[in-house]
Amino acid sequence: MTFWQITLELLHGFGLTCLLFVLTLLLALPLGLGLSFCTMSRWKPLRAVSRVFVWIIRGIPLMLFICMIYYLPGLLGNGSGNLFDSLDRYFTQLMGSGHLLYYGSFLAVLIAFVINYACYFSEIFRGGVESISHGQYEAGQVLGMTKGQIFRKVILKQVIKRILPPMSNEVITLVKDTALANVIAIPEIIKRAKDMAATQALVWPLFYTAVFYLIFVGVLTLLFGYAEKRLSYFKA
Amino acid sequence: MFLEVKGLTKSFDGTQVLKGIDFTLEKGQVLSVIGSSGSGKTTLLRCINSLETADAGEILVGGNKIFDAQDAGAGRGIPREARLSFGLVFQSFHLFPQYTALENITLAPTLRIRTLCRKRRLSRAARDELLQKATEKALELLSKVGLSDKRDFYPCQLSGGQQQRVSIARALALNPDVLCFDEPTSALDPEITGEVLKIIKELAAEDMTMIIVTHEMTFARDVSDKILFMDGGVIAAQGSPEEIFGSHENTRLQTFLTSFYSNQAGAEPV
Ligand SMILES: Nc1ncnc2c1ncn2[C@@H]1O[C@H](COP(=O)(O)OP(=O)(O)O)[C@@H](O)[C@H]1O
Ligand SMILES: [Mg+2]
């Protein structure tokens, strides 16, 4: 295999990495926001349940959690085999093409990632919201603003400014965590490099994958830096 | 009587902080509230401004009942229009950091106008005219507090005294019937308290009805029509500045004033 063929093969895997990254972000951000409201709820049962949930999810290694999501439905079900595997087969039949073999497994990984990251994001949101001085709410209240107006027009931007640094940390971690998808044989970039090492005795592509991650993380770092700069006009 | 506060009580975790506060105020008058720390001054202002819900008592403005602890709904959200009878200037300003001085003043009026226009289905042109008027009024208020040149500055670019002046303008933008101040100069360096006190004096000269919690005794004496001395959650003495700062028979008041003046006479405050 030439250098370009290998690069192309790895890029294929990296596409999957990016897809997992983007979908996780899109789903986990709103879910995390909702979850953070639950953990800050004034209704104690909801608060307790959601905090215990966050504790459990954050306490389980993501790799283990992926396996749980993938295997548990089958084990708990009527013994008809792995649910996500059946999905794989179903979609393969439907599409009639081999390259969608990982469709069901991808769904399992995505579910695990979204739940896991929603929990981390919710804690970041909660920290941000709770760090805003109570005086900001009260100033809005005495000016006759509604709770929703106070949150949207006064609190939100200050929260965003404060959570950007921890957010950028978490998002960068997410980029690298996508590699965990290879535990259930999702052909993301690391999986493809490992396969090359196994089948063609090519080891260097595995180290070459670092370049892809570095570039992606570099772009994200620039984006977060830009966002922080955009919000640097005020102190909060 | 323009403002009537009757039998206001408030407890926190079983400790009564306000033990029945009664006072009245005429339109255009200035009331100063003095008293040692922990006597309940802030709690009184917070109850009046519906940031706390009093356990008992009533508040009337111009004959309208703004608050009645007997009401079923008391505590569950005070009607917005009623709460706007009062304005409150905080000790530590609480300006909105992401908005300029001008935007801080126009934010609440703008949101009110937008809500109102949506509810009444007013035309876009009518709405824009109202918004334009709100901006003009905000600019007027900025010039009144002497900050026309700072309209596009963010709070972090303003000194403490300037921030407090913006927050006064912000409170005035909603036309409160009674404007309350909670130690408006306590967070400021001594040399710049004057610029804020000057604004309050000008408001007094324009017959703005005000309640001012303050430790600035000279200022209180000059600006007030009436003074309340609070002690342990009750009004221990009230009267004209002459009565309060003359030789009042209340010993607690005498002790408070004596210790106050001796503190001031002493060298640097520690
Ligand atoms: N939210 C609260 N919870 C519990 N205690 C409070 C609260 N707010 C005020 N207090 C208590 O009420 C008393 C009066 O406080 P405050 O009204 O702030 O006094 P002042 O403004 O005269 O210094 C103090 O003893 C204070 O500890
Ligand atoms: Mg106080």
Side-chain angles (χ1 to χ4, degrees), chain B:
Chain B
M1 278 302 149
F2 185 58
L3 169 67
E4 292 175 76
V5 172
K6 296 184 195 166
L8 223 54
T9 68
K10 177 71 189 175
S11 301
F12 290 114
D13 321 312
T15 316
Q16 202 164 32
V17 172
L18 295 182
K19 302 173 180 165
I21 302 290
D22 295 271
F23 67 88
T24 59
L25 192 62
E26 299 280 5
K27 196 171 172 64
Q29 284 200 329
V30 176
L31 171 77
S32 286
V33 182
I34 60 172
S36 50
S37 169
S39 56
K41 306 179 299 294
T42 297
T43 307
L44 173 61
L45 283 195
R46 291 173 61 85
C47 286
I48 292 177
N49 281 277
S50 344
L51 288 176
E52 307 280 359
T53 309
D55 304 326
E58 298 176 2
I59 301 171
L60 289 89
V61 175
N64 298 320
K65 206 174 275 187
I66 300 290
F67 172 81
D68 186 349
Q70 308 267 286
D71 278 356
R76 266 191 296 119
I78 288 83
R80 226 166 302 291
E81 294 309 316
R83 104 175 305 152
L84 286 176
S85 296
F86 295 97
L88 177 61
V89 173
F90 298 89
Q91 183 173 341
S92 39
F93 336 132
H94 299 321
L95 288 181
F96 306 132
Q98 72 268 44
Y99 293 112
T100 63
L102 180 63
E103 289 166 344
N104 261 279
I105 303 173
T106 53
L107 179 66
T110 302
L111 290 171
R112 275 171 63 70
I113 290 167
R114 288 186 186 281
T115 314
L116 202 83
C117 290
R118 224 176 301 127
K119 266 192 197 143
R120 301 214 185 132
R121 298 173 182 282
L122 292 187
S123 72
R124 183 179 281 254
R127 187 195 68 189
D128 289 347
E129 197 184 317
L130 286 172
L131 290 175
Q132 179 63 31
K133 276 205 187 112
T135 308
E136 276 161 23
K137 166 139 201 228
L139 288 169
E140 240 168 66
L141 287 168
L142 265 181
S143 104
K144 183 182 217 158
V145 298
L147 292 172
S148 291
D149 54 331
K150 300 282 193 269
R151 54 174 278 181
D152 296 324
F153 281 49
Y154 290 94
C156 63
Q157 300 169 305
L158 299 173
S159 73
Q162 291 168 335
Q163 289 188 50
Q164 191 60 300
R165 280 144 72 192
V166 173
S167 90
I168 293 172
R170 179 177 71 172
L172 287 171
L174 291 158
N175 295 316
D177 297 315
V178 181
L179 185 54
C180 305
F181 296 81
D182 190 7
E183 302 193 31
T185 57
S186 292
L188 302 177
D189 293 335
E191 65 269 23
I192 55 172
T193 56
E195 64 184 61
V196 171
L197 297 180
K198 180 169 153 277
I199 303 286
I200 302 177
K201 275 187 183 159
E202 286 168 11
L203 289 172
E206 292 169 22
D207 289 337
M208 180 82 210
T209 316
M210 293 187 283
I211 302 176
I212 308 167
V213 170
T214 185
H215 288 302
E216 303 272 348
M217 294 303 155
T218 322
F219 167 75
R221 188 198 324 230
D222 291 349
V223 82
S224 314
D225 298 291
K226 189 173 181 178
I227 295 191
L228 294 188
F229 168 62
M230 283 189 66
D231 186 50
V234 296
I235 298 177
Q238 59 177 308
S240 67
E242 293 74 29
E243 287 163 354
I244 293 292
F245 292 107
S247 44
H248 199 281
E249 72 272 14
N250 186 298
T251 49
R252 301 280 307 183
L253 173 58
Q254 280 171 1
T255 320
F256 171 73
L257 288 176
T258 312
S259 73
F260 192 85
Y261 288 130
S262 65
N263 272 346
Q264 277 208 324
E268 284 295 310
V270 274

Side-chain angles (χ1 to χ4, degrees), chain A residues 13-30:
Chain A
F14 199 59
L16 212 51
T17 298
C18 292
L19 186 66
L20 182 57
F21 171 82
V22 169
L23 288 178
T24 302
L25 262 194
L26 284 181
L27 296 170
L29 281 174

Side-chain angles (χ1 to χ4, degrees), chain A residues 1 3-21 98-100 102 106 178 181 185-193 195-196 205 208-209 212-213:
Chain A
M1 278 172 104
F3 177 73
W4 289 117
Q5 280 171 320
I6 286 172
T7 304
L8 210 64
E9 168 73 8
L10 291 181
L11 262 181
H12 249 95
F14 199 59
L16 212 51
T17 298
C18 292
L19 186 66
L20 182 57
F21 171 82
H99 72 269
L100 278 169
Y102 52 83
F106 186 82
T178 53
I186 302 281
E188 48 71 57
I189 183 166
I190 300 265
K191 173 83 167 60
R192 289 189 193 229
D195 287 351
M196 276 183 232
Y208 178 35
T209 59
F212 293 76
Y213 286 107

Side-chain angles (χ1 to χ4, degrees), chain A residues 161 164-166 168 223-233:
Chain A
K161 182 183 167 88
L164 271 180
S168 95
L223 280 177
F224 273 102
Y226 173 74
E228 274 178 42
K229 212 167 162 201
R230 279 293 301 271
L231 289 175
S232 68
Y233 68 92

